[in-house]
Structures are given as structure tokens and as C-alpha cells.
Amino acid sequence: MDTGNTQNTGNTEREDRIKRIWTIVSGLYSAGVIGIIAYWMFTESGPPQDICEMQANWFSDHKCYIALNFGLPLIVMMIPLLVARFFIERSTGVKLPMGRNRYR
């Protein structure tokens, strides 16, 4: 059956299906994480508020650095996604796409 794809990637239908599902799930999870962190920052609640208070205590200039407030929770909340990726790759034997690598 010709699907119109001129590239012969050597992927089976199962591998392509797993990669597409992973791309959708990881994209939704990432968008949700960024949305939650943005909500916390705009409402000055959650972990970004705690991080800002710690910065005020640690540094003498009493400034709140946005990069730490956004970056630290982002890294912590992305760890489950990386762990899930590791276990899915291990159990299925399929190398999952990362970034803009489209189903190759």
C-alpha cells in the first residue's frame, strides 16, 4: 500500500504509530507544564513564589530572577517525561523522536 511517503525510512507501522502517539503526548505534556508554570508566575503562587522568596533571602539585592523562577520548575516537571521516554524506548525497542525530528 502506497501512503504517498517517498522516503523509505524502514519503520514499521507499529513504530510509526508509537512515534506519533509519543509526539502528541509529549507535546501536550510540555504545553501543560509551561502553562502551569506561567499561571504560577502570573498569580505569584506555587513553586515560583517559594523560589523567589529563597532568592530574596539568599541574595542581598532582594531581586527575583525570572530565569530561576521559570527554569527550575520546568526542569523538575520535565523529569517524568524523560523517565517515561526511557522506559518506552526500553520496552518497545523504538527510538522516539526528540525535538523537530519527524518520525525518522
Side-chain angles (χ1 to χ4, degrees):
M1 181 170 139
D2 185 21
T3 60
N5 187 1
T6 58
Q7 291 180 335
N8 186 7
T9 59
N11 292 340
T12 64
E13 273 187 48
R14 178 181 169 270
E15 289 175 346
D16 286 340
R17 191 172 349 110
I18 291 170
K19 288 178 181 181
R20 283 189 187 103
I21 291 170
W22 172 256
T23 302
I24 292 168
V25 169
S26 64
L28 290 173
Y29 181 82
S30 300
V33 164
I34 290 171
I36 288 170
I37 294 172
Y39 171 77
W40 283 337
M41 289 182 66
F42 287 121
T43 60
E44 296 179 1
S45 62
Q49 178 190 11
D50 299 333
I51 294 169
C52 190
E53 290 172 1
M54 285 189 285
Q55 288 175 29
N57 291 335
W58 290 344
F59 305 126
S60 60
D61 58 359
H62 297 286
K63 287 185 181 176
C64 192
Y65 297 98
I66 301 286
L68 283 176
N69 280 3
F70 191 80
L72 194 59
L74 181 65
I75 290 170
V76 170
M77 291 179 75
M78 287 306 219
I79 290 172
L81 189 67
L82 296 174
V83 170
R85 177 190 173 97
F86 173 77
F87 283 115
I88 291 170
E89 284 183 347
R90 273 294 184 90
S91 64
T92 63
V94 175
K95 181 82 170 127
L96 297 175
M98 181 175 268
R100 296 187 55 99
N101 186 4
R102 299 283 185 199
Y103 315 117
R104 293 184 189 152

